[in-house]
Amino acid sequence: AHFSVELFQLEPFVADEYIERLVWRTPGGGSRGGPEAFDPKRLLEEFVNHIQELQIMDERIQRKVEKLEQQCQKEAKEFAKKVQELQKSNQVAFQHFQELDEHISYVATKVCHLGDQLEGVNTPRQRAVEAQKLMKYFNEFLDGELKSDVFTNSEKIKEAADIIQKLHLIAQELPFDRQVHFLRLIQEFTSAQRRGEISRMREVAAVLLHFKGYSHCVDVYIKQCQEGAYLRNDIFEDAAILCQRVNKQVGDIFSNPETVLAKLIQNVFEIKLQSFVKEQLEECRKSDAEQTTNLSSKLMEFNLGTDKQTFLSKLIKSIFISYLENYIEVETGYLKSRSAMILQRYYDSKNHQKRSIGTGGIQDLKERIRQRTNLPLGPSIDTHGETFLSQEVVVNLLQETKQAFERCHRLSDPSDLPRNAFRIFTILVEFLCIEHIDYALETGLAGIPSSDSRNANLYFLDVVQQFNDHLMPLISSSPKLSECLQKKKEIIEQMEMKLDTGIDRTLNCMIGQMKHILAAEQKKTDFKPEDENNVLIQYTNACVKVCAYVRKQVEKIKNSMDGKNVDTVLMELGVRFHRLIYEHLQQYSYSCMGGMLAICDVAEYRKCAKDFKIPMVLHLFDTLHALCNLLVVAPDNLKQVCSGEQLANLDKNILHSFVQLRADYRSARLARHFS
C-alpha cells in the first residue's frame, strides 16, 4: 500500500506513466536483454497484488468520504436550526420595535397637544400683561411725568420707540370730539387751496394726518381741484389734464400722494365719466369705449400705489358693466361680417364665383371612395393656375381675430373669458381653415386632371407650396387653449389628408402623362428595325420626351415641398416611374440592335432617376438595366449573366420573361441554353 501511495503522489496523474513506473520498479519487469530477464509471471503477480492494494485503498478512501459527508450534513442541519432561531429572535425584536415606535408616536402626540393647551393659556395672559403695561405707560403720558426706566434709560431707546408707536396707533382710535377745531382746520385747508398756498395746505394736512378726519381733508381737496376743470367739449382730455396738474402738486401737500391721486382718478371715473357715458353711449358706443381706453393709457404713467393695470381696468368695466352683458354676441356678429367681407373681396379680385362644397353623407361617401380609389368623382375644374390661397387674406383674418381677442380680454368677465375666447377661435377656424384653406384644397383636388388626360396642367403642387411656405407658420400661432389646440389639430389633420390625396392623384396624373408620351412616340420598329445595320440614334424619341417630362416634374416637386416630404413623394414617383418603364418594355420584341437601343433608353432613364437622389429608385433602375442585358447577350453566356451580382436574387420567372422578349427566343438553341 505504501508503494501505491508513492506512485499516486506524483502530479499530474497519468495512467500510462503510472503503469510504466510500476513495471520499472518491479523485479523482472525490464525488457529482454536488460540486467534482469523479463519475467511475465512475476509481473502478473505484481499487477494482481497491486490491484488488490488499490481496491483496499479505494474502500478506505470511500469510508472516509462517507464519514465526511455525514459530518457535513450534521453541521448543515445544526446551522439551519441556528438560522431559524435567529430569525425568530429577529421577528420578536422587530415586533418590540414596532410597539416602541407606536408608543413614542402616542407620547409625542400627547406632548404636542399639551403644548397647544399651554400656548392657548399663555398667549391671552401675555396679551393681558402687555395691555397692562401699555395702560401704565399711557397714564404716564397723560400725567406728563415719564417715570418708567424704558423712557429714562438712553440705552433702551429702541424699546421706547416701539412703545410710543403702539400708543400712537391706540390714540388714532380715540374719538375726535373737538368738531369745532376740526372744521376750522378743514376751512383753513380749503381757503389755502383756493389761494394756492401749498405750504399752508401741507401744514394742515400734516396735522390732520393722524386722525380719522384726514380722509375728509382728501375728499375736500379732490372736490375742489375739479372745480372749473371741465370747460372743453372733450371731457376725456380735460380729465387727463386735470390728473397731470394734480400729479405735479399732490406730492408737495400730502405724505401719501399716490393714494390721493388714485382716489382722484376713481372719483373721475365713477362720477364724472360714468354719468357722461350713460348719456352718450347709445349714440357713439364704440368711440366712447376707445376714448376711455386712451385716457386709461395716459393715466398709466402716474404712480397710483397699486397694480395700475388692474385698478384702471376695474374702473373702466364699472362704467360699461351694464352694456357688456351681450358683449360676445355683438363681437361674434361683427367678426363674422368682417371675415366674410375679407374673403368676398379676395374672390372678387380674382373674378371667381365661389362654388358650393357639399357636406353630409353623400360628400363623406365620395371622400372615402376618392381616398381609396383616386377616382375624380365629379367634373374636373380648370383653375387656370390659380391656387386660391392668399397670404394677405390669412394675415387680415388673423389680425381681425387678434383684435377680437384683445377686446375679449378687456371686456369679458373672467368667468366667461375662456368660453368667449373659444367662440372667437371657432369663427377663425370657420373662415380661415374651412372657408378659405379647405376650399382651396377642395378646388385644387377638383382641378387635378384624371390620369388619362392629355396635356394636363398640374397646379395642385402650387397649392401644396403655398400651404407649406405661408399658411402653416401663421396657423401654428393660434391661441393655446386646450380646446383650440384640439380643434386646430383636427382641422390640420383633415387638410393634410386632402393634401396627401391630392399629391397621390397628381402622381397618378404624371404617370398617365408618361403613358400618353410612350404610346404616342414609341414604335415597334424602334426595337426591331428593318435594317439592323442602319440605326443611327442613341436612344428613342419617346425616351427623350419622357425624361424631359420627368425632370420637369421632379424640379417642381422639390420647389413645392421640403424636408422628408420631398424624399417621400419622390420615392413614390420613382417606384411608379420604374413600374411604368418595366411594363412598357414588356410590350415589345427585341432584335439584337433593338436590344442595344433598349439598353440605351434604360441608361437614359437611369440618369433621370439619379436626379431623384433616392437610393431605392436608383437601385430599381440599375436592376432594370441589368435585365435589359439579357436582350443582347450571347446565348452561351445567358446562365453566367443570370447568376451575376445584380440578377442572382431575382425570381427566375422575371429573368425568363425578359429572355422571351428576344426575337431569337424560339430557336431551339436559345431555349436549350436558358433551361
Side-chain angles (χ1 to χ4, degrees):
H2 177 71
F3 186 56
S4 301
V5 171
E6 290 180 353
L7 293 176
F8 270 111
Q9 288 177 347
L10 298 175
E11 295 292 342
F13 177 79
V14 180
D16 293 341
E17 294 182 1
Y18 177 80
I19 298 298
E20 288 291 338
R21 288 194 297 271
L22 179 62
V23 172
W24 180 74
R25 292 188 180 190
T26 302
S31 61
R32 296 176 183 273
E36 296 183 9
F38 176 72
D39 189 353
K41 292 183 179 180
R42 191 171 181 180
L43 186 62
L44 175 62
E45 182 181 355
E46 182 64 26
F47 278 174
V48 172
N49 293 335
H50 196 76
I51 289 172
Q52 292 177 352
E53 291 177 2
L54 290 176
Q55 289 176 343
I56 294 171
M57 184 186 298
D58 179 65
E59 291 174 356
R60 187 184 303 116
I61 292 174
Q62 186 63 33
R63 286 195 299 272
K64 188 176 182 180
V65 169
E66 290 176 354
K67 183 178 179 181
L68 290 174
E69 287 179 348
Q70 291 175 358
Q71 184 179 355
C72 181
Q73 291 175 357
K74 181 179 178 182
E75 291 180 356
K77 290 180 180 178
E78 293 176 355
F79 180 76
K81 183 177 179 181
K82 189 175 182 179
V83 170
Q84 289 178 352
E85 293 174 354
L86 290 175
Q87 287 180 341
K88 291 180 180 179
S89 301
N90 183 57
Q91 290 178 352
V92 173
F94 182 72
Q95 184 176 1
H96 289 168
F97 175 77
Q98 284 185 325
E99 293 174 355
L100 181 61
D101 184 60
E102 292 175 356
H103 186 67
I104 291 174
S105 300
Y106 175 77
V107 173
T109 304
K110 287 292 185 182
V111 171
C112 291
H113 180 65
L114 181 60
D116 294 338
Q117 288 182 331
L118 291 175
E119 184 178 1
V121 173
N122 188 52
T123 301
R125 179 180 174 278
Q126 287 182 341
R127 291 177 180 173
V129 172
E130 184 70 20
Q132 185 182 15
K133 289 181 180 180
L134 289 176
M135 292 171 64
K136 177 184 174 183
Y137 296 143
F138 191 73
N139 286 332
E140 290 183 12
F141 276 99
L142 290 178
D143 295 339
E145 297 181 7
L146 302 178
K147 300 178 182 179
S148 299
D149 181 63
V150 71
F151 297 123
T152 58
N153 190 345
S154 59
E155 294 181 358
K156 297 184 178 181
I157 187 170
K158 293 183 178 180
E159 291 84 345
D162 182 62
I163 293 172
I164 293 173
Q165 175 66 21
K166 293 177 180 178
L167 292 176
H168 172 69
L169 296 175
I170 294 173
Q172 286 185 335
E173 299 298 325
L174 297 177
F176 188 73
D177 53 357
R178 300 180 180 180
Q179 295 295 329
V180 176
H181 297 290
F182 172 71
L183 293 175
R184 287 179 180 176
L185 287 174
I186 294 296
Q187 291 175 358
E188 179 65 22
F189 183 87
T190 303
S191 300
Q193 184 177 1
R194 289 175 179 171
R195 294 192 301 269
E197 297 178 359
I198 303 297
S199 58
R200 182 56 181 164
M201 294 170 64
R202 180 172 60 251
E203 293 174 0
V204 176
V207 173
L208 296 173
L209 176 62
H210 304 296
F211 299 95
K212 291 183 178 181
Y214 177 72
S215 61
H216 187 64
C217 175
V218 174
D219 293 338
V220 169
Y221 173 78
I222 290 175
K223 179 180 178 182
Q224 190 162 320
C225 70
Q226 293 186 71
E227 293 179 357
Y230 305 103
L231 301 177
R232 307 182 185 183
N233 293 328
D234 190 348
I235 187 174
F236 301 98
E237 185 65 25
D238 288 339
I241 294 174
L242 168 65
C243 293
Q244 291 171 356
R245 175 168 57 82
V246 171
N247 183 59
K248 293 178 181 179
Q249 65 176 212
V250 70
D252 298 332
I253 301 173
F254 299 98
S255 60
N256 53 343
E258 64 279 355
T259 304
V260 177
L261 186 59
K263 194 168 185 179
L264 169 63
I265 294 175
Q266 184 176 0
N267 183 274
V268 170
F269 271 84
E270 293 181 350
I271 298 177
K272 198 68 179 179
L273 291 184
Q274 188 166 15
S275 60
F276 177 78
V277 168
K278 186 175 181 180
E279 296 174 0
Q280 303 293 327
L281 188 60
E282 293 302 326
E283 298 179 4
C284 47
R285 178 180 303 172
K286 183 180 176 183
S287 176
D288 285 343
E290 291 179 351
Q291 292 183 57
T292 306
T293 304
N294 293 336
L295 173 61
S296 174
S297 301
K298 294 179 180 179
L299 299 179
M300 284 288 290
E301 65 185 66
F302 303 136
N303 181 11
L304 305 180
T306 181
D307 185 351
K308 294 184 284 187
Q309 183 67 41
T310 304
F311 176 70
L312 294 173
S313 297
K314 288 182 178 179
L315 291 177
I316 293 176
K317 289 184 178 180
S318 67
I319 295 177
F320 295 95
I321 188 65
S322 60
Y323 306 97
L324 295 178
E325 295 177 354
N326 297 323
Y327 152 72
I328 192 60
E329 303 301 331
V330 177
E331 182 68 75
T332 53
Y334 173 76
L335 184 59
K336 286 181 180 179
S337 63
R338 287 287 301 170
S339 301
M341 183 192 71
I342 291 172
L343 290 179
Q344 190 59 46
R345 186 170 55 195
Y346 168 71
Y347 293 124
D348 290 344
S349 68
K350 300 295 182 181
N351 293 322
H352 175 70
Q353 181 64 39
K354 193 174 180 183
R355 67 188 186 91
S356 173
I357 298 177
T359 58
I362 298 298
Q363 181 65 19
D364 293 342
L365 178 60
K366 287 184 177 181
E367 183 65 23
R368 292 182 182 179
I369 296 175
R370 184 173 63 186
Q371 291 175 7
R372 297 188 181 184
T373 64
N374 284 307
L375 294 176
L377 295 181
S380 178
I381 297 176
D382 188 1
T383 60
H384 303 287
E386 180 59 57
T387 63
F388 294 110
L389 282 174
S390 169
Q391 185 179 9
E392 181 182 357
V393 168
V394 175
V395 171
N396 289 339
L397 289 175
L398 290 176
Q399 183 64 26
E400 289 289 340
T401 308
K402 177 184 177 182
Q403 294 174 0
F405 277 125
E406 291 175 353
R407 291 191 295 268
C408 178
H409 178 69
R410 291 184 179 182
L411 302 178
S412 294
D413 186 86
S415 61
D416 296 331
L417 182 57
R419 181 169 58 254
N420 292 349
F422 183 72
R423 289 186 63 179
I424 292 174
F425 180 76
T426 56
I427 296 175
L428 175 65
V429 170
E430 177 185 355
F431 284 91
L432 174 59
C433 298
I434 298 177
E435 294 295 330
H436 185 56
I437 301 176
D438 191 67
Y439 175 76
L441 293 177
E442 285 288 348
T443 305
L445 284 172
I448 298 176
S450 61
S451 59
D452 57 354
S453 299
R454 298 175 181 269
N455 301 321
N457 292 317
L458 301 178
Y459 294 119
F460 187 78
L461 291 179
D462 296 332
V463 178
V464 177
Q465 181 181 5
Q466 284 270 32
F467 186 87
N468 289 331
D469 293 349
H470 303 303
L471 300 185
M472 285 303 295
L474 296 175
I475 294 174
S476 62
S477 63
S478 298
K480 297 186 177 184
L481 296 173
S482 59
E483 297 91 341
C484 298
L485 289 175
Q486 182 62 30
K487 186 73 173 177
K488 184 180 73 172
K489 180 182 177 182
E490 294 173 359
I491 292 294
I492 291 179
E493 285 178 352
Q494 293 175 8
M495 292 180 184
E496 289 178 344
M497 188 180 299
K498 291 182 180 179
L499 285 173
D500 291 342
T501 302
I503 291 172
D504 186 64
R505 291 175 58 189
T506 301
L507 294 181
N508 282 342
C509 190
M510 290 179 182
I511 298 300
Q513 291 293 105
M514 297 181 208
K515 285 183 179 179
H516 288 310
I517 295 174
L518 292 173
E521 301 294 335
Q522 197 82 73
K523 300 177 182 178
K524 290 185 178 181
T525 56
D526 288 343
F527 302 121
K528 199 173 181 182
E530 296 178 358
D531 186 357
E532 291 281 324
N533 299 320
N534 192 23
V535 178
L536 302 178
I537 58 175
Q538 296 180 347
Y539 30 75
T540 66
N541 189 46
C543 173
V544 174
K545 291 190 176 182
V546 168
C547 289
Y549 179 80
V550 171
R551 288 190 175 96
K552 181 179 178 182
Q553 302 310 315
V554 169
E555 185 66 24
K556 194 165 189 178
I557 290 173
K558 290 181 178 180
N559 293 334
S560 302
M561 304 175 195
D562 56 10
K564 294 183 179 180
N565 293 332
V566 177
D567 294 341
T568 302
V569 174
L570 286 180
M571 185 169 71
E572 182 63 25
L573 177 61
V575 171
R576 297 186 189 187
F577 176 36
H578 168 267
R579 187 185 306 123
L580 172 66
I581 300 302
Y582 178 88
E583 294 174 352
H584 175 72
L585 293 175
Q586 294 279 331
Q587 301 175 11
Y588 299 93
S589 177
Y590 299 87
S591 64
C592 182
M593 186 55 66
M596 293 296 296
L597 194 57
I599 292 175
C600 293
D601 277 5
V602 174
E604 192 65 19
Y605 292 136
R606 183 178 175 278
K607 289 181 182 178
C608 189
K610 280 186 178 180
D611 295 340
F612 287 56
K613 297 182 179 180
I614 305 295
M616 177 182 174
V617 175
L618 187 58
H619 175 71
L620 290 175
F621 278 93
D622 285 341
T623 304
L624 182 60
H625 187 269
L627 282 171
C628 288
N629 287 331
L630 299 177
L631 302 175
V632 297
V633 69
D636 296 338
N637 297 331
L638 270 177
K639 285 189 176 181
Q640 180 182 353
V641 174
C642 290
S643 60
E645 180 180 354
Q646 290 182 318
L647 301 181
N649 295 327
L650 292 182
D651 187 87
K652 189 174 181 180
N653 293 329
I654 297 177
L655 302 176
H656 194 192
S657 66
F658 263 81
V659 174
Q660 286 179 324
L661 300 177
R662 295 171 59 127
D664 57 352
Y665 174 74
R666 295 187 179 278
S667 66
R669 181 167 172 264
L670 181 60
R672 183 178 68 255
H673 277 286
F674 186 77
S675 61

